[in-house]
Amino acid sequence: MKKKVIIILSVVVLVIAAVAVVAFLSVGRAGGEIGFEATINKVEDGIAYATVIEQDTGFLTKKLPESIMFETADLDEELNAGDKISGCYLSGTIDGQTVRVVSVVVTTD
């Protein structure tokens, strides 16, 4: 009887530990940067407007809205309408449709 209780408690502790590890790795992510892919709709006055195609959000991480906008002044790439991009944004910077994008690479098919 005692062996069954010890085994059950051990399994419960392992499950709780696994859930804690997954939650820790998902929330905030290392460096706070989260990847996404999008298509640029237009660029006007240093602001890019894009449609999100895919995102690498983890468990319990807020997702980007379908349409986003971000400043392009600090980016190394020149963006144009129709460009498909792969980029990273800082977690916790989503404010409506606005997000702080920290890196962008124009991808080709």
Side-chain angles (χ1 to χ4, degrees):
M1 180 76 167
K2 284 187 178 184
K3 284 186 178 182
K4 284 185 179 181
V5 171
I6 291 172
I7 291 172
I8 291 172
L9 287 176
S10 298
V11 170
V12 168
V13 168
L14 287 174
V15 169
I16 290 172
V19 169
V21 168
V22 169
F24 177 75
L25 293 175
S26 296
V27 176
R29 302 191 81 175
E33 295 181 6
I34 301 173
F36 73 100
E37 293 182 19
T39 301
I40 301 296
N41 299 325
K42 68 179 178 177
V43 180
E44 255 180 21
D45 300 324
I47 304 290
Y49 300 84
T51 300
V52 176
I53 300 168
E54 190 174 319
Q55 48 190 310
D56 298 330
T57 55
F59 182 68
L60 297 176
T61 305
K62 186 176 179 181
K63 291 186 171 233
L64 288 171
E66 184 178 326
S67 297
I68 61 171
M69 49 194 259
F70 57 91
E71 291 185 23
T72 61
D74 294 331
L75 301 176
D76 294 334
E77 293 274 349
E78 183 177 329
L79 302 176
N80 297 300
D83 286 346
K84 291 192 186 299
I85 62 167
S86 179
C88 290
Y89 69 95
L90 293 178
S91 65
T93 63
I94 301 171
D95 184 18
Q97 287 186 306
T98 305
V99 64
R100 171 101 193 278
V101 173
V102 293
S103 66
V104 166
V105 175
V106 176
T107 59
T108 57
D109 293 330

